[in-house]
Amino acid sequence: MGPPGSGKGTRAKMIGRMYGIPVIAAGDMLREAAARGTEKGRVARAYMNRGELVPDDIVIAIMEERLNKPDTERGFVLDGFPRSVRQAMALDRILEKQNVTLDTLLYVTAKPETIVGRLSLRRSCPKCGAVYHLRDMPPKREGFCDECGSRLIQREDDVEEIIRHRFEVYERQTFPILERYQEAGKMKEISGNLDIDKIPAAIEEVLGKP
Ligand code: ADP
């Protein structure tokens, strides 16, 4: 967990690679549903473009279906879920059914000032989900994905006014759920402000050797 633009996604992908477990990113799954034009996806898109949370029922249904796939049996990383009290309660219920306990909530710390600059320079690959930053992590060939060669896009919600609103939504709806994980002694912190090559060591420090 962490505010939008804190670097959650980058860290989640690294954790997935380091520990050999799938990364389940709520935002990516919602964007995929939107791109496929499913009923749920069309509703989700309208909320995402405004920087609002997608209604809990939609997100919970998509995440529950994903968590029931067999590749999660050896562990998984959740990126961007849960994001509301109802989602946190639903996650407890889903994991309880599977007899799984959550090891760690990794909280990515970031200052609001750094976020807008970071997200407005973010470019993403619509096909494989790779993420770039025009100044800090540019693609090798301008405008195209290093991984799959697709043309990079700027996400519709990565514009200043919507970024500010996403941050408010985060503080109002998501921040309050940190407390339940903190009280359960599951919360650990990682900085959102590290150079890319320093991130793996910081991850190992909190999660242990892969
Ligand atoms: P960021 O964390 O940078 O905002 P994400 O890709 O995680 O990027 O989320 C983008 C948008 O997707 C959110 O602003 C919201 O509209 C939607 N979204 C993602 N995860 C959730 C969730 N768990 N519940 C509701 N909406 C979500």
Side-chain angles (χ1 to χ4, degrees):
M1 271 180 65
S6 55
K8 290 192 300 293
T10 307
R11 282 154 186 71
K13 284 187 190 116
M14 285 189 182
I15 293 170
R17 271 201 301 272
M18 288 167 67
Y19 298 84
I21 50 178
V23 180
I24 304 176
D28 288 350
M29 296 194 63
L30 291 167
R31 278 184 292 277
E32 267 163 40
R36 281 202 311 274
T38 62
E39 170 85 40
K40 284 194 190 102
R42 278 204 302 272
V43 177
R45 175 174 226 152
Y47 286 87
M48 294 170 87
N49 285 354
R50 290 198 301 270
E52 299 283 341
L53 290 189
V54 173
D56 286 330
D57 291 341
I58 294 182
V59 181
I60 291 166
I62 290 178
M63 296 305 280
E64 179 156 22
E65 194 185 325
R66 178 65 187 87
L67 283 166
N68 281 330
K69 298 217 165 118
D71 67 339
T72 59
E73 271 167 21
R74 289 182 48 246
F76 51 86
V77 193
L78 289 173
D79 167 9
F81 180 85
R83 247 163 148 130
S84 69
V85 174
R86 269 198 61 210
Q87 292 180 20
M89 288 164 59
L91 178 62
D92 285 349
R93 176 183 56 75
I94 295 166
L95 296 183
E96 201 173 311
K97 257 203 261 174
Q98 300 187 347
N99 237 332
V100 166
T101 50
L102 199 82
D103 293 320
T104 307
L105 179 132
L106 199 54
Y107 180 56
V108 189
T109 55
K111 293 199 190 74
E113 312 82 272
T114 55
I115 287 173
V116 175
R118 195 183 258 180
L119 288 184
S120 40
L121 291 177
R122 174 158 81 180
R123 297 293 180 273
S124 342
C125 176
K127 193 149 171 244
C128 74
V131 178
Y132 302 88
H133 185 277
L134 294 185
R135 194 191 58 224
D136 300 339
M137 216 196 338
K140 290 195 189 87
R141 182 170 156 229
E142 198 187 318
F144 294 90
C145 180
D146 292 348
E147 310 289 329
C148 73
S150 305
R151 187 178 278 281
L152 299 175
I153 56 155
Q154 178 169 33
R155 262 169 51 176
E156 286 170 285
D157 59 347
D158 278 347
V159 293
E160 184 159 344
E161 195 193 318
I162 306 288
I163 294 169
R164 291 195 192 283
H165 187 57
R166 280 157 62 200
F167 197 77
E168 284 163 19
V169 167
Y170 169 79
E171 293 203 306
R172 196 171 62 237
Q173 292 178 269
T174 307
F175 190 74
I177 70 174
L178 280 175
E179 226 174 25
R180 53 191 283 138
Y181 297 100
Q182 204 168 14
E183 276 166 10
K186 300 208 182 249
M187 194 176 111
K188 293 180 181 163
E189 284 188 13
I190 185 169
S191 167
N193 235 336
L194 298 170
D195 290 339
I196 293 282
D197 57 340
K198 301 263 159 46
I199 300 175
I203 291 172
E204 251 190 70
E205 208 168 290
V206 277
L207 297 185
K209 282 233 169 297

